[in-house]
Amino acid sequence: MIDAKRFWRDRMSEHVKELNRYTRYIFNGHIAVVLFFLFSAGAYFYQQWLQTIPDDFPAAWVVAVAFGSIVTYSPVRTMIKEPDLVFLLPAEFELKDYFRRCLYYSYIIQLYIIFLAAAALGPLYFTVYPELGMNHYLRIIASMLVIKGVIMVSNWWMLQERQPGVRLMDQALKWVLAVTLFYFAAVGRPIFAILVFLLITGLAAYAWKLSKQKAGLAWDLLLEKDQARMKVFYRMANMFTDVPHLKSSVKRRALLVKLLTSRIPLSRKTTYTYLYRITFARSGDYSGMYARLVVIGAIAIWMVPNIWVSIIVGILFLYLSGFQMITLWHHHRTIAWLDIYPVSFDQRKEELLKFLKQLLLFQTIVYIIVFTVQALWMGALLTATGGFLFSWLFTETFVRKRLI
């Protein structure tokens, strides 16, 4: 016999320890300061924007899409491990209480997203629909809590369906219905919202009926889903510290590799230049992460109306990009044959510093172009000066001390 409650406590304890192990590295002092500044600046300009918002702004659709997406994405954390597929499969009928607790846990830890979204979109909603009032908005939030629970249970039942197409269609229908429901709720049409809610419960009932036709849980699917979610967390943590659990994926990306390596001369001095560039292009998510930061930073600079804040935002995104690219130094740490390269340690360090400077300088040029397109010549000049100076100081002081 398996004590489901004790088994839950053990797995939960291991899970929390694993999360705490890496979370303290993610939210370190540097990142906390950057996030605090970005949040403060975003809140200030959000408030300024609300004062000039047009009367025909589609706030109802913004609320509907945001709330509908939040309640539809309701994964269940089961904390299943690979050995469980062998040792726990025969005892599946004894673990009903364990999986019930997994549902409770998954629901509770996802509530913060609802409250954050409600707090963020509340000022927009009250600005466009002041006549509906606070009580109406609170009823919408309460309906989110109910629909979130219904969809999460429905998603759990659908995890017994092995056909990806059926699961994808189910998710798409729930998303469309949820967005429609919150649109009717946002514009003050409760009758239509209730009718859509009945359709969502009908889909949940269909999922329950479908689960009853299955022989048992799809343990391999539960493991796959849980590992995929932990992999996302490990990728985030790997930006700040070494994560041995993370298995790097390698992609060909021939065009990007050719672009980065075509002008590198074949010589001993460029050995690590080639290695770092090809690693950046193919391994892990370095290039994708860098591209996302460049694009998000450019969009932020474009949208922020204050030129001085835009410059500071650009420098902050330069810092984030440089900080996260430091992990290139440790990427090949487990490959012993690199030690036989006839290349000195100092040269290896200098090649990484050079590559980081090039990445930061390219990002600076992108931000200069954004200011130039907006005809903000002073912003372009200050970004050029500050960006080039920051790129040099960051690599020569902050990064150099950490390459040991």
Side-chain angles (χ1 to χ4, degrees):
M1 288 289 293
I2 296 179
D3 187 344
K5 293 182 179 179
R6 182 177 179 181
F7 182 61
W8 158 259
R9 288 194 297 267
D10 294 340
R11 281 294 167 89
M12 188 63 190
S13 177
E14 295 176 7
H15 180 66
V16 171
K17 288 180 180 178
E18 186 72 4
L19 293 181
N20 289 338
R21 178 182 177 185
Y22 295 107
T23 303
R24 61 191 179 94
Y25 292 107
I26 296 175
F27 296 102
N28 57 41
H30 302 287
I31 300 301
V33 172
V34 173
L35 292 178
F36 176 77
F37 177 83
L38 292 177
F39 176 80
S40 301
Y44 173 77
F45 290 110
Y46 180 45
Q47 183 181 14
Q48 297 293 314
W49 174 72
L50 289 178
Q51 295 177 1
T52 60
I53 188 173
D55 295 334
D56 59 347
F57 185 81
W61 282 113
V62 173
V63 170
V65 172
F67 288 0
S69 301
I70 290 171
V71 299
T72 303
Y73 180 72
S74 301
V76 180
R77 297 299 304 270
T78 59
M79 292 167 278
I80 294 296
K81 300 180 180 180
E82 291 188 12
D84 297 341
L85 274 64
V86 177
F87 297 104
L88 293 184
L89 184 60
E92 178 181 321
F93 68 96
E94 300 177 11
L95 296 173
K96 291 183 179 180
D97 187 63
Y98 172 82
F99 290 116
R100 188 181 301 112
R101 290 169 183 266
C102 289
L103 280 168
Y104 295 153
Y105 167 71
S106 301
Y107 179 78
I108 291 172
I109 63 172
Q110 294 176 38
L111 291 182
Y112 78 95
I113 303 178
I114 292 178
F115 296 129
L116 285 177
L121 295 177
L124 172 64
Y125 186 75
F126 296 138
T127 301
V128 179
Y129 300 101
E131 69 279 2
L132 294 177
M134 174 66 77
N135 291 334
H136 181 75
Y137 192 66
L138 291 177
R139 284 194 290 271
I140 295 177
I141 298 174
S143 67
M144 287 183 68
L145 300 178
V146 176
I147 298 169
K148 180 80 170 178
V150 172
I151 291 182
M152 180 170 289
V153 174
S154 176
N155 289 347
W156 170 251
W157 288 329
M158 284 302 298
L159 283 174
Q160 299 184 46
E161 173 59 53
R162 291 186 173 275
Q163 297 185 30
V166 176
R167 296 198 306 271
L168 181 61
M169 180 61 68
D170 177 75
Q171 283 293 100
L173 287 175
K174 289 173 185 173
W175 183 82
V176 171
L177 291 175
V179 170
T180 305
L181 184 152
F182 286 113
Y183 174 77
F184 286 135
V187 297
R189 304 282 182 84
I191 300 300
F192 292 103
I194 292 173
L195 292 176
V196 177
F197 176 72
L198 293 177
L199 293 176
I200 293 176
T201 56
L203 271 180
Y206 171 76
W208 174 79
K209 182 179 179 181
L210 200 64
S211 68
K212 292 300 180 181
Q213 300 174 0
K214 305 299 178 180
L217 296 174
W219 286 78
D220 54 337
L221 183 60
L222 297 180
L223 177 64
E224 176 187 339
K225 296 290 185 182
D226 217 62
Q227 287 183 337
R229 283 185 284 272
M230 285 304 296
K231 188 175 182 180
V232 172
F233 173 74
Y234 286 143
R235 279 182 175 177
M236 184 184 301
N238 194 54
M239 301 175 188
F240 307 94
T241 187
D242 179 31
V243 181
H245 307 290
L246 185 63
K247 298 178 181 179
S248 299
S249 57
V250 179
K251 298 181 181 179
R252 190 165 180 261
R253 293 171 179 164
L255 183 60
L256 181 59
V257 171
K258 183 178 180 180
L259 180 65
L260 292 174
T261 62
S262 60
R263 294 175 178 252
I264 299 177
L266 297 177
S267 67
R268 180 185 301 180
K269 294 181 179 180
T270 59
T271 300
Y272 277 96
T273 300
Y274 181 85
L275 180 63
Y276 288 134
R277 291 195 178 198
I278 201 171
T279 302
F280 172 81
R282 290 180 174 176
S283 301
D285 196 32
Y286 294 110
S287 56
M289 179 170 51
Y290 173 76
R292 286 191 293 270
L293 286 172
V294 173
V295 172
I296 294 173
I299 294 174
I301 291 173
W302 181 277
M303 297 185 65
V304 172
N306 187 291
I307 186 174
W308 298 103
V309 177
S310 296
I311 294 171
I312 296 174
V313 168
I315 298 299
L316 286 176
F317 274 93
L318 285 174
Y319 168 77
L320 289 175
S321 298
F323 184 83
Q324 295 178 4
M325 290 301 110
I326 298 176
T327 54
L328 278 168
W329 177 255
H330 302 287
H331 187 86
H332 300 284
R333 65 195 177 282
T334 58
I335 303 178
W337 55 265
L338 290 180
D339 295 334
I340 67 175
Y341 279 12
V343 179
S344 66
F345 179 84
D346 290 337
Q347 182 179 333
R348 175 184 175 185
K349 182 190 297 185
E350 294 301 324
E351 291 301 320
L352 179 63
L353 292 173
K354 179 181 177 181
F355 183 50
L356 286 180
K357 287 178 186 176
Q358 292 170 345
L359 291 176
L360 295 179
L361 291 177
F362 175 80
Q363 189 171 354
T364 301
I365 293 172
V366 172
Y367 295 161
I368 293 172
I369 294 174
V370 174
F371 280 108
T372 304
V373 171
Q374 294 178 292
L376 299 174
W377 312 113
M378 181 59 69
L381 178 61
L382 293 176
T383 300
T385 304
F388 294 152
L389 182 61
F390 174 83
S391 301
W392 186 85
L393 290 175
F394 178 78
T395 52
E396 291 297 329
T397 58
F398 185 85
V399 179
R400 185 178 289 276
K401 294 179 180 178
R402 283 159 177 77
L403 303 186
I404 55 176

